[in-house]
Amino acid sequence: MVSTDRLLAFAAMSFLLIVVPGPSVLFVVGRALAQGRRAALMTVVGNTVGAYVLVLAVAFGVGSIVERSVLVFTALKLAGAAYLVYLGIKAWRERGALRAAFAEDAAAAAEQGGLRTFWEGFAVGVTNPKTIVFFAAVLPQFVDHGAGHVTAQMLLLGLVFNAIALTSDSVWGLAAATARGWFARSPRRLSAVGGVGGMTMIGLGVTVAVTGRKD
């Protein structure tokens, strides 16, 4: 199975991606600002389930193809790295618009049931471009090909990712629900969130491009 070193390295890279405010975090915070803690946590659960569907898709489909072909792996890795850098640049350039995005999400979230909130969170999680790129291009790098059980290793790594995501997104949601007024009073604070997130995403993209398997 996956060695402790690989598991910790994957957890560290996962954490870097997860803490960057992206589509899922934005959606969770929007729900928190509009409806409070319960809606935020229900959205987080939906996001997490949606993200694990992506893990299953990679483990039973794309992942096996990537695992067998260095060429496919390299092309996918570079494409994923380039897209992460693109998302980072976009987040940096549009950091001033983050307040408007929060406001739109908050207005749209009013008076919804828990089940609907869950499914909307699921839709965001399963279509999150950051997560798709990460699982397709990065997750196979941490598989120990000599240990066998590649699918099982990917499923385990996916659980690690989702555990971190569940914790991080819950913190974002609870913090936003607690500090609604604090966020709303300062557009600069929201801009800072977008700016730091963009730079972190660019750094992660560069890291993905220069690391990987050597076989």
Side-chain angles (χ1 to χ4, degrees), residues 16-40:
L16 287 176
L17 179 80
I18 290 167
V19 297
V20 174
S24 293
V25 169
L26 183 63
F27 195 74
V28 168
V29 171
R31 285 293 181 263
L33 292 174
Q35 293 180 294
R37 292 178 177 84
R38 183 175 180 180

Side-chain angles (χ1 to χ4, degrees), residues 16-117:
L16 287 176
L17 179 80
I18 290 167
V19 297
V20 174
S24 293
V25 169
L26 183 63
F27 195 74
V28 168
V29 171
R31 285 293 181 263
L33 292 174
Q35 293 180 294
R37 292 178 177 84
R38 183 175 180 180
L41 294 178
M42 185 64 71
T43 301
V44 170
V45 173
N47 268 323
T48 303
V49 175
Y52 203 72
V53 169
L54 296 177
V55 175
L56 294 174
V58 171
F60 290 102
V62 178
S64 62
I65 298 174
V66 172
E67 188 270 334
R68 294 188 184 98
S69 173
V70 176
L71 179 62
V72 172
F73 167 80
T74 302
L76 189 56
K77 181 186 74 168
L78 293 178
Y83 191 62
L84 286 172
V85 171
Y86 163 76
L87 288 176
I89 294 173
K90 183 178 179 182
W92 171 262
R93 294 180 63 183
E94 297 178 356
R95 63 191 184 282
L98 195 57
R99 186 186 186 191
F102 279 136
E104 290 172 5
D105 274 348
E111 300 298 328
Q112 291 190 20
L115 187 59
R116 181 177 176 183
T117 301

Side-chain angles (χ1 to χ4, degrees), residues 89-172:
I89 294 173
K90 183 178 179 182
W92 171 262
R93 294 180 63 183
E94 297 178 356
R95 63 191 184 282
L98 195 57
R99 186 186 186 191
F102 279 136
E104 290 172 5
D105 274 348
E111 300 298 328
Q112 291 190 20
L115 187 59
R116 181 177 176 183
T117 301
F118 169 86
W119 283 113
E120 289 183 347
F122 175 87
V124 171
V126 81
T127 58
N128 187 339
K130 285 199 310 176
T131 308
I132 293 170
V133 168
F134 185 81
F135 284 153
V138 178
L139 190 152
Q141 297 186 39
F142 292 89
V143 171
D144 185 351
H145 304 282
H149 305 288
V150 171
T151 298
Q153 290 186 57
M154 289 186 178
L155 294 176
L156 175 60
L157 291 170
L159 285 176
V160 170
F161 180 96
N162 275 348
I164 297 172
L166 183 65
T167 302
S168 176
D169 289 357
S170 294
V171 170
W172 271 105

